Amino acid sequence: MIVNSSIQSVTSLYGAAQASRTYRARRAADEGIRDEVEISAAGQNFSEMLQKLRETPDVRQDKVDYYSQAIADGTYQVSAENIAAAMLNHNI
């Protein structure tokens, strides 16, 4: 059961914390204090690589077209040895 006085206590504490936070932020702004973030070289490299990965297409259309055409023409051949090796190397 929630007691009304408990709710009022929590509310007043929350209000005091909010007022204190606002005061600190205002004081920091008055004193010219600014938050700064500095990203390391490794972090920048990671960000650049991630961006390049996002720009890379999911499908290599040139390969899809090549193999689709080879299959359609009947020129795509897979050796039985390669199929058997693949089957033995993977647990199906």
Side-chain angles (χ1 to χ4, degrees):
M1 182 169 116
I2 298 176
V3 179
N4 194 24
S5 63
S6 297
I7 294 173
Q8 290 175 345
S9 298
V10 170
T11 304
S12 65
L13 287 173
Y14 180 75
Q18 287 294 92
S20 174
R21 187 176 304 130
T22 303
Y23 172 75
R24 284 191 306 250
R26 197 174 310 130
R27 190 181 80 213
D30 291 343
E31 293 176 6
I33 299 172
R34 294 183 39 193
D35 290 337
E36 292 183 16
V37 175
E38 189 172 320
I39 300 174
S40 69
Q44 290 173 357
N45 288 339
F46 178 77
S47 178
E48 290 170 9
M49 294 302 288
L50 186 60
Q51 185 61 33
K52 288 179 183 178
L53 278 173
R54 287 183 178 147
E55 292 171 358
T56 303
D58 291 336
V59 176
R60 293 187 53 191
Q61 194 60 45
D62 58 332
K63 289 201 174 242
V64 171
D65 293 340
Y66 171 78
Y67 288 110
S68 295
Q69 187 63 45
I71 292 169
D73 294 343
T75 58
Y76 182 72
Q77 299 294 322
V78 180
S79 74
E81 291 175 359
N82 289 348
I83 293 172
M87 290 173 68
L88 293 174
N89 289 331
H90 293 74
N91 295 330
I92 298 177

